[in-house]
Amino acid sequence: MSELAIRPSIGFVPAAEPFEGRHLIDGAWQGSADGATFERISPSHGVVVSRSAQGSAAEAEAAVLAAERAFDAGVWSGISGKERATVLLKVADLIEANADRMIELEVLESGKPIAQARGEVTGAADLWRYAASLARTVHGDSHDTLGEDMVAMVLKQPIGVVSIITPWNFPFWILSQKLPFALAAGCTCVVKPSEMTPSTTVMLGELLIEAGLPAGVCNIVLGYGEPVGSVLAAHKSVAMVSFTGSTRVGKMISEVAADTLKKVALELGGKNAQVIFPDADLEAAADAVVFGTYFNVGQCCNGSSRVIVHKDIAEAFVERVVALSRKVRFGDPMDEATQVGAIVTEAHNVQIHKHVEAAQVAGAKVVLGGGPLNVDGLSDQFYQPTVLIDVSAHIGAAQDEIFGPVLSVMTFDSLEEAVTLANSTDYGLSAGVWSDSVHTCLEFSRRAEAGTVWTNTWMDGFPEVTFGGAKQSGQGREIGRYGFEEFMEVKSVVMRIGNTRARWVTDTNEE
Ligand code: NAD
């Protein structure tokens, strides 16, 4: 058995002083009233990289009220799309100018490799630019065929105060899938980043001020789901919650938000499958399966944690996937050559291993990996590239979002069976199909229960192309025009021109 491609520590020394993060409320940076703070220990380097103010219900409440005041004052909701676009474009430029600082903290807090973090931070600038372009396109409908003297308009207006709650796995990217679109629509916001990756959100707050965003339009509260997140989900002055995270927490947010019937947009977990037909370009498919499995150490909502491969080619295909897996460069995230970094917490690493052990008890076989990974000179929060075969459809390895570098292989005989297997989980985020036949690709795409289907590719995304989940992978859409529209309320204005309305109370009422 050949070795794995491990990149040992390059000897990077983190800054002596951790990054200090504070809340941004009504345009002012502030600590928590009770002085509480929390620290983030780098998953790869095991040192404290940031210390942040730990918000309480009081800070969350103050931030919501600041956003509400700013919204009502019209300093953002009332200005033109052109003026909003100008600020958002400045933010995009500032992100690019400040990328290096943000990239380093993104790596140290999340454990992701530096080349990937660079792609995410600099790529996020494009999301801001795209949202800026949308700010100038808002329009509703007009109706001029309603009969004599009648005309109606359907207006699109900003929905109000939006709570934005983000996860740790793509901290800056996911923030940029939400915030610029909400701002482009004219909303005001309160952002709560994950307690594990708060710092690039704080850095963005500095850039928003520099770009000229008025005070109170974007507020940031640092801290945990309880109490900060739940106050942001429950508060009656919040019109909408835009959440990305686990299905478990998404359901809690829906419950809490139901009391005020606020709008809830949820981007949740996935158990996504790539389906491989024998007529596909199998080299390209194997590479995409390896990419989909290990990208972000499998801690990715779009991870392709299942592959469903035709029986006739299954053995050779798995051999190819295993051979490619051995070449993927796991190790020090600060090394430019590294492709896969560290697991987010020690507890999660243990959890991944429990899933792999349970899969074996349930009859699956490990053909690669299957245990923690030792990287010279770094923490013990790494996991080996792992491939499981003989996975039956009902076991945990085929159903649960393991959120680690673990691939479950299943096989099929017919397109019918492939579709059934692909759809056989509670999730419905994304799916993929590999075939040379456009008919096979189209039939699978139409029948897959997923928000996105990739054919002969995996995880290609564009700001223009909307994204979101079916089934228990979420509700609502993000990015693209559909994602933008989520942040708007629709209002119908019906007008009678002239005094021609037939009276409801007439002389006959007196009879
Ligand atoms: P998580 O659900 O644990 O946390 C997400 C956010 O919710 C964090 O900011 C957290 O502090 C906050 N939170 C926790 N409890 C809360 C509560 N009671 N009320 C309000 N907020 C609360 O998720 P995570 O571990 O940070 O991220 C991983 C999950 O996110 C995975 O399931 C992954 O699939 C999913 N995800 C989905 C997408 C997508 O676009 N569909 C993208 C990235 C991640």
Side-chain angles (χ1 to χ4, degrees), residues 165-170 174 177 192-196 223-226 228-231 233 243-250 252-253 266-270 300-302 401 403 429 467-469 473 478:
I165 302 175
T166 56
W168 53 263
N169 59 346
F170 297 94
I174 286 174
Q177 291 203 141
K192 191 203 90 62
S194 166
E195 58 276 20
M196 287 185 263
Y224 292 84
E226 282 296 344
V228 177
S230 60
V231 169
F243 170 81
T244 298
S246 60
T247 296
R248 182 185 66 82
V249 174
M252 286 161 66
I253 285 179
L266 302 172
E267 299 286 342
L268 309 176
C300 177
C301 57
N302 271 327
E401 187 185 46
F403 230 50
L429 190 60
F467 180 73
S473 288
E478 203 150 86

Side-chain angles (χ1 to χ4, degrees), residues 170-195:
F170 297 94
F172 196 73
W173 180 262
I174 286 174
L175 176 61
S176 300
Q177 291 203 141
K178 298 176 185 291
L179 181 60
F181 293 83
L183 293 176
C187 298
T188 61
C189 302
V190 181
V191 179
K192 191 203 90 62
S194 166
E195 58 276 20

Side-chain angles (χ1 to χ4, degrees), residues 23-40:
H23 315 295
L24 176 62
I25 300 175
D26 213 1
W29 294 103
Q30 58 187 67
S32 292
D34 61 6
T37 59
F38 64 100
E39 291 179 338
R40 174 61 174 155

